Amino acid sequence: MKRILSIAAAAALLVTLLPIGAVAAHDNNGQGNGRHGDRHSHKVTICHKGVTITVAKKSWTLKGHLKHGDFIVTPTTPCVPKPKPPKPAQTVCTFVGTANYSGTNGTSSGPITFSYSQPTASTAGVVKPGGTWTEGAIVDTITGGSVPFSGTGVNLKFNRSGSPIFEFNGNLASNNLTGALVSPPGSPAWPTNTFVTTGGSVTCTQATAAHRHGG
């Protein structure tokens, strides 16, 4: 009899506690969901200068994002990145002529070609490596130098196969290249009459630079 009463008492106690536990669980879930919802309800996704970012609503209202042109991102108002401004146009000129020089080794002639760039009207152009000056069977490769956009004060560096680099100092005016060759460092000085004179043509084009100008 006592055992039956104990079982009955335990069952009654369980029935009494069950609603309390259910209510507590419901309250905990409600609080958890509330906190979770509150955490997200304090955030807003905006478009700032073409970049999607998430900020606090307080920051959205206090920092004046609207004044900067920012807006809240929605399915109908997506954040589109701003296009990058185009690179400034640069002028690229190419000189092509027949070079003639006279010195102790006689006279040699052949095509001379070099290119130079001019990003602005106030800076000197830089010779693009790869131009050539052919002396008969010998091909000298232009490895650097500069040419002002005005066409005067040309300085070219040549690399002759099997020989040190030598330079040319002269002027380019009215499609005529004139100047003197400079002997390589450590080599005997070339005679002062080692001149270069050549007529040719200059062609200039403008193009938007896809990459940084590297010379």
Side-chain angles (χ1 to χ4, degrees):
M1 185 66 178
K2 290 181 179 180
R3 183 175 180 183
I4 294 174
L5 290 175
S6 298
I7 295 174
L13 180 62
L14 180 62
V15 171
T16 302
L17 294 177
L18 183 59
I20 298 175
V23 172
H26 176 75
D27 290 343
N28 288 338
N29 288 337
Q31 291 175 1
N33 290 338
R35 286 194 299 268
H36 182 72
D38 289 345
R39 184 167 65 249
H40 285 277
S41 65
H42 291 321
K43 299 286 186 179
V44 62
T45 301
I46 67 171
C47 185
H48 176 71
K49 295 181 179 180
V51 180
T52 302
I53 60 175
T54 301
V55 299
K57 281 186 176 179
K58 190 175 182 180
S59 172
W60 165 254
T61 56
L62 292 181
K63 291 190 176 180
H65 285 278
L66 286 171
K67 295 180 181 179
H68 302 156
D70 299 348
F71 58 88
I72 296 177
V73 176
T74 67
T76 57
T77 56
C79 186
V80 180
K82 291 184 177 181
K84 294 182 179 180
K87 299 272 183 81
Q90 67 176 12
T91 302
V92 178
C93 300
T94 301
F95 171 81
V96 179
T98 300
N100 301 278
Y101 81 89
S102 60
T104 56
N105 295 327
T107 301
S108 180
S109 64
I112 180 172
T113 304
F114 58 90
S115 298
Y116 52 100
S117 299
Q118 179 75 16
T120 66
S122 60
T123 58
V126 177
V127 174
K128 292 188 173 182
T132 59
W133 178 14
T134 303
E135 302 175 62
I138 301 174
V139 178
D140 304 326
T141 302
I142 298 174
T143 59
S146 62
V147 182
F149 194 63
S150 61
T152 60
V154 177
N155 171 263
L156 302 178
K157 296 181 183 296
F158 291 90
N159 184 13
R160 181 179 298 174
S161 178
S163 300
I165 292 176
F166 63 94
E167 297 185 23
F168 164 82
N169 292 319
N171 296 286
L172 177 61
S174 302
N175 295 344
N176 291 310
L177 180 67
T178 59
L181 298 176
V182 181
S183 60
S187 300
W190 289 349
T192 56
N193 64 342
T194 308
F195 295 117
V196 171
T197 59
T198 178
S201 61
V202 176
T203 304
C204 296
T205 59
Q206 264 199 341
T208 301
H211 303 284
R212 284 185 177 179
H213 172 63

